[in-house]
Amino acid sequence: MKRADWRSVALARSRRPWLAPLVLAAAMATAAAADLPRHPLETHALVEPERVIAELPPLIDAAQKRGDLHELALLQLARANACRVIADWDCQRDAGSRAHDAATAAGDVVLNIRSLLADARASIALQDFSRGEHLLGQAQQQLQVAPNTTLEADVFLAYSSLSYSLGKHALAIDYAERGLALDADVGAATRVRLLRNRARAEAQLGRTDAAQRTLALAHQLYGDLDDPKLRAELFLETARVARSKGDVETQLRSGQAMLELADRLKNAQVAGQAHEVLGVAAGMTDTDTAASELRLALEAFRRLNQGREELRVLRELIPVEIHRHATRSELELLTLREIELSRSLEETDRAKSAADFEARVKYAQSEIELARLKQEAVIADERAAAMAHTSRLTNALIALAGIMLVVLATFFLLQWRAKQRLQLAYDRYRESERRYRMLADNSRDLVVRMRADGHRLYVSPSARELLGLDPEELTEPRWELVHPDDRVPLREAIAALVAAGGTATVTYRARHRDGHYVWIEALAQRVVAADAGSGVEIVYSGRDITARVQAEQALAESQRRLLAVTDNIPALIAQFDADLRYRFANDYHRKAFGLAPADLIGMHLADAGSGTAYSVVRGHAEAALRGEAGRFEGEIELHGRHYHFQSHYVPDRGEDGGVRGFYALTFDITALKQAEQALERLARFDSMTGVANRRHFQERLELALARARRSERPLALFYLDIDHFKRINDSLGHGVGDEVIIEFARRLVANVRQQDMVARLGGDEFVILVEDVLQHADAEAVAAKLVVAMHDDVLTSAGRIRITTSVGVAVSSGLVDPITLIAVADQALYSAKGSGRDTYRLRTARPAGEEPVVV
């Protein structure tokens, strides 16, 4: 609900006269009661929240049918507590709002305050800070009607949580201590929560020793309380403080305790926080454990749709995975998810910040302008009436001088009436002024009215909270409080506003009493001075935007880091919109395309590389725009070079789930492909001769035999070696022997067809596979040709050497297995050697059981 809507509801409720006696009665009952009214299920929700949520709907329906508003409010508060334990903030806010409606209708002020607190806590958890602050203000107003120490402590607890969420850690400590300073009637659970808030704020301010002492006191005070969620929160803060002090043992102990409590509660959020604690504790010393625990935490937060927690875990996980040398695809997915979450949260934070600021400015402007216009209208009307009346009296006095007594009596009577009207107008003016001052005095923003020379006529009390200074200390100009870098721009802005008038928004830094600087955004307006002859004045309303500025600076730093990472990854990283136009490109595009990333923004994918490249990736890009993630490889010609690449396309979805583009990650795998081709060649070809090796020959032989069976056309296998090769090695050395083998292989290749396979089995043994042999005479002709081809001397480093070869030929006939065919060719080779070498012998290979035929 918008701020104005809440104000209208509160005003409408204040106009119900029948509520007054009920409120007083509730206040008296609260003062007399020792404990706050609670339904038994509200306490039971601390240990079995899921069961309580399941039991509540029929009870709520029954209370509604009976019209028992008091019971209905208690049941909704029990539901809000159960939702809080399982971290379902939307559910808690809905239950708190429904409890508020029931309590208001019942006239129960205590339940009304409790429901406002439940709604406010849920709104703060959902980062709806304006709504949460407004609800807490309503609760404080109700407490003035029905004072209650326990509820007052709960209000301070909620304000402490709100201040911590806004980054105002000193204020969070102050609110926690104000709650702890209340009477001892405050329950132990509330005191433990106040100590928890104080400890985590102290840790944020770097006071780790103080935070450790506070947590120790909280654990001691917890005692016999049965609140597993609160216990888990204490262990979480203990682990965070231990991490800042490097105490790994305490982190591990706290994380294990949290896991046990999460299992008891069946609470996925507590489980995720526990795994995060254990993963962070493992750190870089045990990266496998760290990665496993952090991924469990990541999955838990992702299921709960808790983007900020998921982003925090991602930033812990990515360095661990890099240290573990995780695969490129895993790092890609983690990096892309981190970018997507950062962008989504950035847009959400900006939208919330802008909406909150706009609502506050409009509210302040409308209230101040309305008060001023009413004041001026009343004074103007009364002055005009008084002047007209006085003029008529004067004219009547001159015209009726003859009847002085009557005129004087009439004059005095009318003068008295005019004085009464002037007094009434003055009283209205004072009341208007009082209301304006009350608004300014109670505003959380800094409201200032000052002259053009810098002398301040009014400073609102919020200066104490904002700058730690009393309003009296800011009466005279205090330029030393302004940051040196902002003094000149601020002076110029004030001078321009005085000269030109209108309104202006100024941002500057002011020094707090404790020494740190506070970012202030002021909306200033030049107005005519209230006192005649005083010239012009400046009225401005300033608010603390330190948290927003720090968030923007942190976001800018995060973007810088992400850009540094993406620019140094040896891959093309890009984002495209639905029209296939670049929205982001890393610096690696400069190397690939010769274009700066800034020049690519808005360029179509087809224009960045080449038309051939676009035709390769176009189908995958269209699939990504349909919502299909994909990985593929391809080849392109770019700048005269042939490239192999691997790409990953991931759809970019908006908040509504629709695809608004896609992310692309592309690697150059040319060197990898070339290495694969080289390895493939080494695996299939003889490194010395360049002909096929034994493995390649066996694969080819099986395929050739299969083709021969289908076509019923025989093939021939030639088995060769070099006659007396051992004698060459022994007499001239293995180097010369290698030269002879190389030349021998060259002559074999030169004397067969291109489609025939020449393979080296080892040493000086070679085979030749010839398919489609029509008749034995063809095989004999090839064998004879090979024998003759070896008669020419071989020129080696040791001189000319004469070599000869013996050839065994096996011709397949029918169904022959590879082993049989090789054995027949080997037999034919030994037959050729037995015949005196330098010749060939041919045999017909037949299926098993048939004798080979010698030709």
Side-chain angles (χ1 to χ4, degrees), residues 439-471:
L439 176 65
D441 287 349
N442 290 278
S443 173
R444 296 177 62 88
D445 294 342
L446 179 64
V447 180
V448 176
R449 174 183 161 211
M450 70 179 187
R451 292 200 297 257
D453 60 3
H455 179 79
R456 296 177 180 85
L457 304 174
Y458 170 79
V459 179
S460 64
S462 58
R464 297 188 185 95
E465 179 182 344
L466 192 65
L467 298 174
L469 299 171
D470 291 329

Side-chain angles (χ1 to χ4, degrees), residues 152-172:
E152 186 177 1
D154 282 340
V155 170
F156 285 136
L157 175 63
Y159 270 123
S160 176
S161 299
L162 174 61
S163 301
Y164 179 84
S165 299
L166 293 173
K168 299 181 179 181
H169 305 304
L171 189 59

Side-chain angles (χ1 to χ4, degrees), residues 4-40:
D5 296 335
W6 284 105
R7 290 179 65 251
S8 64
V9 171
L11 182 61
R13 289 173 178 161
S14 68
R15 291 172 180 166
R16 298 175 184 171
W18 55 269
L19 270 179
L22 292 175
V23 169
L24 291 176
M28 294 172 63
T30 302
D35 295 320
L36 295 177
R38 299 180 189 274
H39 195 281

Side-chain angles (χ1 to χ4, degrees), residues 740-774:
V740 172
I741 288 175
I742 293 171
E743 177 59 21
F744 184 79
R746 188 195 66 77
R747 294 183 184 183
L748 292 180
V749 172
N751 285 277
V752 296
R753 299 174 303 179
Q754 186 176 2
Q755 65 266 33
D756 299 333
M757 169 179 264
V758 177
R760 181 187 179 200
L761 301 183
D764 65 324
E765 294 183 357
F766 289 80
V767 291
I768 301 175
L769 182 61
V770 179
E771 298 185 55
D772 297 327
V773 177
L774 299 180

Side-chain angles (χ1 to χ4, degrees), residues 594-661:
L595 294 173
D599 297 334
L600 286 169
I601 305 303
M603 185 180 294
H604 195 276
L605 175 60
D607 301 329
S610 64
T612 304
Y614 177 65
S615 65
V616 173
V617 304
R618 179 179 179 179
H620 301 283
E622 292 173 349
L625 292 177
R626 293 194 300 269
E628 303 171 12
R631 176 188 300 182
F632 61 94
E633 294 182 358
E635 303 177 43
I636 59 170
E637 293 289 335
L638 189 62
H639 303 315
R641 291 186 59 191
H642 187 76
Y643 289 91
H644 293 267
F645 66 90
Q646 182 186 80
S647 290
H648 305 253
Y649 286 177
V650 179
D652 177 18
R653 298 183 181 275
E655 293 182 357
D656 59 353
V659 178
R660 59 186 181 186

Side-chain angles (χ1 to χ4, degrees), residues 3 43 102 244 283 365 621 682 686 690 722 730 762 768:
R3 193 180 190 95
T43 303
S244 65
Q365 283 182 329
L682 288 174
D686 179 57
I722 302 173
D730 293 343
I768 301 175

Side-chain angles (χ1 to χ4, degrees), residues 354-375:
D356 181 57
F357 174 70
E358 182 179 357
R360 286 176 176 268
V361 170
K362 287 183 177 178
Y363 176 71
Q365 283 182 329
S366 62
E367 291 293 325
I368 294 172
E369 185 65 20
L370 180 61
R372 185 181 66 81
L373 290 175
K374 287 182 178 179
Q375 172 186 328

